[in-house]
Amino acid sequence: MLKIHSIKRNIQLLLRYMRYGGNITQINISKLYHGEMLRDKKIVITGGTSGIGLAIAEKFIKEGAYVLITGRDKEKLRKAYTTINSSRLLLMEWDVTNFGICEQKVHEAYEKLGNLDVWINNAGNLDHFQPTDNFFDKCIDTNLKAIYKICPYVINQMTLDGVSYPIRKILNISSVNGLMNCTNPYYLSKAALNTYTKGLAKECVNK
């Protein structure tokens, strides 16, 4: 009875926050551990050295997966390895905006893991807004163009052995900002990513 009361209170807090705004001072969140739900799955996470990517990697490894994370900075890759501290974690240095080596890097990831079950395009650019061409290019290149270039090679690797699409997954990390009306290039890149992801899913299902 106490647990039900606590859940109801947390839901009421969330509803009140969404309706009236303000701050939520305390909500207790429970973490679910299913016991190696992803046992022996082979997963790649681009931009996995910090933030969301690192948290996903850590959780997936706890669920039994082998995870390869990519990053542009060798020191950040080493730090991520120390943080997670698992033999199931693999590292690969890669700036995803270096479009000329996308095919090579996807193949390298496949070789390192021995297979590909899930590919997570998480690498993204979220610098403070600047009204410059450089900022626009950086957002579009990292958040959209890199994924556009990478996905065909991932699909090719995933289907080399004839396994059907429902078994293997590509996850593109977007943002609620992609649903908003805004001229900020970050928002634009995520809105376009949403459209691309839906289109890619449709193409894969129809193949």
Side-chain angles (χ1 to χ4, degrees):
M1 192 68 180
L2 183 61
K3 288 185 178 179
I4 294 174
H5 176 75
S6 178
I7 292 170
K8 286 182 177 179
R9 174 170 171 72
N10 287 339
I11 292 173
Q12 288 171 352
L13 281 171
L14 283 171
L15 291 174
R16 189 168 64 190
Y17 174 79
M18 288 187 288
R19 185 171 183 179
Y20 300 111
N23 297 315
I24 298 177
T25 56
Q26 181 179 352
I27 288 184
N28 297 319
I29 303 296
S30 297
K31 292 185 178 181
L32 300 179
Y33 294 96
H34 297 280
E36 299 196 339
M37 183 172 64
L38 299 176
R39 186 175 181 82
D40 295 335
K41 295 294 184 183
K42 310 297 178 61
I43 300 171
V44 173
I45 304 171
T46 67
T49 59
S50 62
I52 294 173
L54 183 62
I56 294 173
E58 189 170 16
K59 175 62 176 175
F60 281 12
I61 286 172
K62 286 180 180 178
E63 294 294 341
Y66 290 95
V67 177
L68 183 150
I69 61 172
T70 79
R72 294 176 296 180
D73 189 302
K74 286 183 179 179
E75 184 56 37
K76 287 184 177 180
L77 283 167
R78 284 194 290 266
K79 186 175 180 181
Y81 189 85
T82 301
T83 298
I84 294 179
N85 190 28
S86 171
S87 60
R88 289 177 175 264
L89 179 65
L90 292 82
L91 310 176
M92 186 167 72
E93 187 179 359
W94 180 20
D95 179 352
V96 295
T97 62
N98 186 347
F99 306 128
I101 62 171
C102 284
E103 182 176 14
Q104 170 195 329
K105 287 297 185 179
V106 170
H107 181 71
E108 184 180 333
Y110 181 86
E111 291 294 313
K112 282 176 176 287
L113 287 169
N115 204 346
L116 284 178
D117 293 300
V118 181
W119 185 286
I120 302 177
N121 286 307
N122 170 74
N125 178 69
L126 186 55
D127 290 338
H128 293 298
F129 174 71
Q130 301 168 21
T132 64
D133 288 344
N134 183 59
F135 179 77
F136 181 90
D137 291 342
K138 187 184 293 185
C139 283
I140 297 299
D141 285 352
T142 309
N143 301 342
L144 178 63
K145 190 174 180 180
I147 297 173
Y148 179 82
K149 293 287 189 180
I150 290 168
C151 282
Y153 298 124
V154 174
I155 292 170
N156 184 57
Q157 288 290 346
M158 285 183 167
T159 56
L160 282 177
D161 57 5
V163 177
S164 59
Y165 282 104
I167 304 301
R168 292 171 177 165
K169 310 294 181 184
I170 296 175
L171 306 179
N172 296 330
I173 303 298
S174 186
S175 168
V176 67
N177 293 324
L179 304 175
M180 299 179 182
N181 300 322
C182 186
T183 59
N184 186 320
Y186 176 80
Y187 289 58
L188 300 179
S189 68
K190 291 300 184 179
L193 177 60
N194 293 341
T195 299
Y196 172 70
T197 301
K198 292 174 183 178
L200 187 65
K202 185 178 179 180
E203 285 184 8
C204 289
V205 167
N206 292 333
K207 282 186 177 181

